Amino acid sequence: MTEMVYPLSDVRAQDPSLSGSKGASLARMTQIGIPVPGGFIVSTRIFEESQNGIAEVLDELKNLSNPGSEVFEAVCEQARNAILDTALTEQAVDKISEAYRSMGSLPVSVRSSSTAEDLAQASFAGQYDTFLNVCSLEDVLTSLQRVWASLYSPHAIAYRRQNKIDEEKVAMAAIVQEQLMPESSGVLFTRDPLTGENHFIISATLGLGEGVVAGSTNTDRFTLEPETGKV
């Protein structure tokens, strides 16, 4: 396996098949000089290793047609637990350890980056897990597996099916970045996520933006018209 872990400044990080959509976008921003917190990509190749041995569970999941059923949720949980119980290879652990220590073992965020997100027809905001203030290598490794497992949450699978996204083409990378401590933070949509209208939607709150993405906190909401610049 040649593509495993690489910094956002590496040209390979621009490949969404390895870095996921979010990771590839952050890599492009980094490489044209836009200020982006430093970090590295844990590629989809390592995620694919985590699926070894659970093909039977995934096949069962694909054959279930009712995302709201108890059986469906139980099989989703079985798939997630199987990923969490799959040990990373020694080579993968060594590469991740090296990259994390090269950052000075600072507190980091471990962010999801699926190959099927930030699409023209589907945003996937809040569908996958991200972990903030991760402060040790052990917790980085645990958080990575939890990010991968979130690909098989009932709500994420239901959303992919609703948007007719082929499960066979979906994989998960992860972004490990220096953790910022902002006074305020938020999310910018370049199209209205509810109506698809051509204006910017900004949702923001004080402190970290985790509650904005999860929809669990009250936010300030702004609509910006791109042609006029009016809010």
Side-chain angles (χ1 to χ4, degrees):
M1 183 170 58
T2 58
E3 316 293 350
M4 297 182 72
V5 178
Y6 34 81
L8 288 169
S9 58
D10 191 313
V11 68
R12 292 172 296 176
Q14 293 191 35
D15 183 350
S17 72
L18 297 173
S19 302
S21 300
K22 187 188 302 172
S25 295
L26 287 171
R28 288 194 295 272
M29 292 168 65
T30 298
Q31 291 167 39
I32 63 173
I34 295 175
V36 173
F40 59 91
I41 299 289
V42 180
S43 83
T44 55
R45 298 293 185 262
I46 297 182
F47 161 76
E48 287 161 1
E49 279 191 346
S50 75
Q51 294 191 305
N52 291 343
I54 66 168
E56 187 176 337
V57 178
L58 296 181
D59 284 342
E60 184 178 355
L61 198 53
K62 292 171 192 173
N63 293 328
L64 294 174
S65 59
N66 183 1
S69 70
E70 291 184 4
V71 172
F72 183 86
E73 293 193 3
V75 176
C76 284
E77 184 174 5
Q78 186 179 355
R80 294 196 302 275
N81 287 338
I83 290 175
L84 294 174
D85 290 340
T86 300
L88 293 172
T89 66
E90 183 177 346
Q91 184 185 17
V93 172
D94 286 346
K95 293 290 186 182
I96 294 165
S97 301
E98 180 183 350
Y100 177 62
R101 291 185 178 120
S102 74
M103 295 177 63
S105 300
L106 298 168
V108 295
S109 58
V110 181
R111 308 178 63 191
S112 59
S113 182
S114 168
T115 55
E117 67 178 291
D118 298 336
L119 305 175
Q121 76 278 18
S123 72
F124 279 88
Q127 294 292 329
Y128 304 127
D129 288 342
T130 282
F131 300 94
L132 306 180
N133 288 322
V134 181
C135 296
S136 70
L137 175 60
E138 181 181 358
D139 287 342
V140 167
L141 297 173
T142 299
S143 297
L144 285 169
Q145 289 185 291
R146 292 171 68 187
V147 164
W148 298 328
S150 71
L151 192 70
Y152 298 111
S153 68
H155 60 80
I157 294 174
Y159 189 71
R160 289 198 295 272
R161 291 186 178 185
Q162 177 185 338
N163 287 280
K164 298 180 172 55
I165 295 171
D166 187 354
E167 292 286 343
E168 300 288 342
K169 298 179 180 178
V170 179
M172 182 70 81
I175 311 152
V176 179
Q177 285 183 282
E178 179 183 349
Q179 178 68 60
L180 300 184
M181 296 300 175
E183 292 183 10
S184 61
S185 54
V187 175
L188 165 67
F189 291 98
T190 54
R191 280 186 180 273
D192 191 311
L194 298 178
T195 67
E197 292 179 73
N198 187 26
H199 51 230
F200 299 160
I201 300 292
I202 301 169
S203 294
T205 189
L206 295 174
L208 293 171
E210 185 176 23
V212 179
V213 177
S216 61
T217 188
N218 293 327
T219 64
D220 294 321
R221 188 175 188 272
F222 306 93
T223 300
L224 178 64
E225 299 296 340
E227 288 145 8
T228 65
K230 292 181 179 180
V231 180

